[in-house]
Amino acid sequence: MPHKTYLLTWNPRKFNWKGFQEDWEAVFLGHRPRIEWNCSTTQRIEVNDRVFMMRVGSRKKPSHIMASGWVTGEAVEGRHWNDESNSPTALFIEFEPDILLNPLMQPLLDPSPIETDFAWYPQRSGVTIPDDTASLLENAWAEHLRDVGDPLRKVMKTGDEPTSYAYERDEMLRATCLAHYGAVCAACGFDFTMMYGAIGAGFMHVHHLIPLAYRDDDGIPLDPIADLRPVCPNCHAMLHRRSPPYAIDELKMIIRQTAKAR
């Protein structure tokens, strides 16, 4: 049976996505965080189905597409996210976003020009997008992402919700960090060149010792030596298993203790 496509919704006025900054940073860095999301009463959503997320707005902030991803967990019942709801429970799915745009920093996709009879202003989350409309949406989304490109050179703190923070995606910072510390994981010591040869040369994630969401720097630029450390993708993911993240020394101790326990 072909996989289906569904539309999830997020209304910032009604639901505070407390982990948005961490989720956005994770996707921005190439990770795939698993996010639990309300799908209203839709029970038929299955693993590997496609989902798009729409930021539901108002007259000043119209509804636009802000994310896409794949379902990793079927609908299950859980405590309703809205304490004022008539029902104490709701259905939730789990999905991994492959793209997550920040409404305060990046232009979102207005789907209304797509020629289709589909109503782009849904009243609930978990609505099925017909196959022909889903195909048009995929094309429009891909074109939109090409136009978006990489506008995140520096984003200053705004104080809006979700909160955005000073962010510099400057390859010079990464290059300086790796030049100083070497492309070797600061937590486990993994070296991609030693394992994979030439194709692994220089490959390494860079980790912020103080998460961007917790920085209060009044615009002070990042110091690639003091603020960043090279870590492998596995250790990077483990550091962010907690919010705020584990310290690198904490993870090194966990690695040592786990090795001794074997």
Side-chain angles (χ1 to χ4, degrees):
M1 180 178 179
H3 294 296
K4 298 296 184 180
T5 304
Y6 297 89
L7 185 64
L8 305 178
T9 59
W10 176 42
N11 188 335
R13 293 174 297 165
K14 295 183 178 181
F15 177 70
N16 181 12
W17 188 343
K18 295 180 179 179
F20 177 83
Q21 182 70 19
E22 288 77 14
D23 291 334
W24 176 74
E25 288 177 12
V27 177
F28 188 79
L29 291 169
H31 301 302
R32 296 291 179 265
R34 292 195 171 187
I35 300 173
E36 187 181 76
W37 205 262
N38 172 253
C39 60
S40 188
T41 59
T42 306
Q43 299 179 348
R44 59 185 175 275
I45 301 179
E46 299 180 347
V47 173
N48 293 326
D49 280 341
R50 182 70 160 154
V51 290
F52 283 87
M53 178 176 287
M54 173 172 278
R55 182 192 185 281
V56 180
S58 59
R59 292 180 180 178
K60 294 183 179 180
K61 294 183 178 180
S63 301
H64 282 33
I65 301 295
M66 61 176 289
S68 60
W70 303 92
V71 177
T72 53
E74 296 178 355
V76 295
E77 191 173 30
R79 181 179 176 180
H80 203 290
W81 58 272
N82 186 355
D83 293 335
E84 298 179 359
S85 172
N86 294 328
S87 173
T89 62
L91 292 178
F92 297 85
I93 62 164
E94 182 186 75
F95 77 100
E96 289 184 358
D98 52 15
I99 298 293
L100 178 59
L101 301 180
N102 190 322
L104 296 176
M105 307 179 191
Q106 299 162 294
L108 309 186
L109 171 65
D110 177 6
S112 59
I114 299 176
E115 296 183 3
T116 175
D117 293 331
F118 183 74
W120 289 113
Y121 302 95
Q123 300 300 311
R124 62 182 180 85
S125 191
V127 174
T128 302
I129 302 178
D131 292 343
D132 55 346
T133 300
S135 179
L136 294 173
L137 176 58
E138 291 282 7
N139 293 335
W141 185 234
E143 183 176 350
H144 176 75
L145 295 176
R146 285 194 294 270
D147 292 339
V148 169
D150 185 13
L152 300 180
R153 291 303 173 187
K154 189 173 185 180
V155 181
M156 301 307 297
K157 185 182 297 185
T158 67
D160 292 333
E161 187 177 305
T163 309
S164 63
Y165 295 85
Y167 198 101
E168 291 188 25
R169 193 189 189 187
D170 188 343
E171 284 300 315
M172 285 301 295
L173 294 177
R174 179 179 182 278
T176 302
C177 173
L178 296 183
H180 181 82
Y181 294 105
V184 177
C185 180
C188 72
F190 188 83
D191 184 332
F192 281 90
T193 304
M194 294 294 292
M195 177 64 71
Y196 300 106
I199 65 171
F203 182 82
M204 190 62 61
H205 284 192
V206 172
H207 173 67
H208 296 77
L209 295 181
I210 300 177
L212 297 175
Y214 295 89
R215 285 176 62 89
D216 187 13
D217 51 22
D218 294 324
I220 299 174
L222 290 171
D223 182 328
I225 309 303
D227 298 329
L228 307 177
R229 291 293 186 278
V231 293
C232 70
N234 284 347
C235 286
H236 205 179
M238 292 301 101
L239 288 168
H240 286 277
R241 290 284 288 178
R242 186 181 73 184
S243 182
Y246 288 98
I248 288 179
D249 284 343
E250 287 183 282
L251 188 61
K252 291 169 73 172
M253 182 177 295
I254 291 172
I255 292 172
R256 288 195 298 268
Q257 291 174 343
T258 302
K260 290 180 180 179
R262 291 183 182 137

